[in-house]
Amino acid sequence: MTSSASRLEPRRTADGSFSLFSSEFGEAFHSGLGALAEAHSKFIAPAGLDRWTAGSTLRALDVCVGTGCNTAALLEACKDRGLELKWWGLELDPEPLRLALADPGFCSQWDRGTTDQLAELCSSERMLWGDARSRLSELLVSQRGQLDLVLMDAFSPSRCPQLWTLEFLSGLGDLLQPQGRLLTYCSAAAIRNALVLAGLQLASIAAPSGLLRQTSDWSGGTAASPSALDGDPQLRPLSLMEQEHLRTNAAEPYRDPSSSSTRAEILRQRQLAQAHAMASGTVEGTGAWRRRWGVGTSRHQ
């Protein structure tokens, strides 16, 4: 059996920050342009932390903690604003975090004490190891409607659909307090549609200059909330192009009613549902949408 460590290859991203590549998922943990840049532009900036006054408590969940980059960035952002962080994490594999904390480059990219705080959090009872689907059900018992932030950073939907299903995203939405925000790098129509079906309102994370370089990358990610996401310069309403994307066959959600289906089962069920929708004429083909808007294929779709 292949060990976890042998499936993870350390990498340096363009901003010099530490990351990993997973041979199991065939995907990097972060954008090649910068793990740190991605943490700040897709999670910290659109979190709107200035909404809290110094001395307040921020309640946050990091979904797929990985190397801990997003949590470390959040720890420092809270420290800078005088906020207390009450944190939970969901993660299957402890190896990425172990490799990060053992890497001098990773440790040097943070302020003094940050990696000690990160290690302490991830060794506490609030670090929920194991299948995120089952651990989420446990968290919902105590934290339903209580969280201010959910940072959703799983591998992409095609690689890890188990954590992008309508059922799982609905559970994450149920954790949010009325003004809370779920933030993700993903702009896929299936994910955005699932968030809408979960009763959340959407906004697009403004694409940061220099981070997104392909014309197919039309946004920096997605923000979702039980309340309208207005008045934040880091967010914008979905464009007409993005709204039309939600009416294509790409918007068919991933589904996992049992919360135990395999990747292959989830993908197969979605393909059948897409074929049925196309045959019934109720949705537009994604190819036609791309041609109309001049959009190329990207990982967001």
Side-chain angles (χ1 to χ4, degrees), residues 211-238:
L211 186 60
L212 301 180
R213 298 177 179 176
Q214 301 178 31
T215 56
S216 58
D217 290 321
W218 61 80
S219 84
T222 303
S225 174
S227 303
L229 292 160
D230 300 324
D232 190 320
Q234 299 295 328
L235 306 176
R236 61 167 176 76
L238 266 61

Side-chain angles (χ1 to χ4, degrees), residues 32 65 154:
V65 173

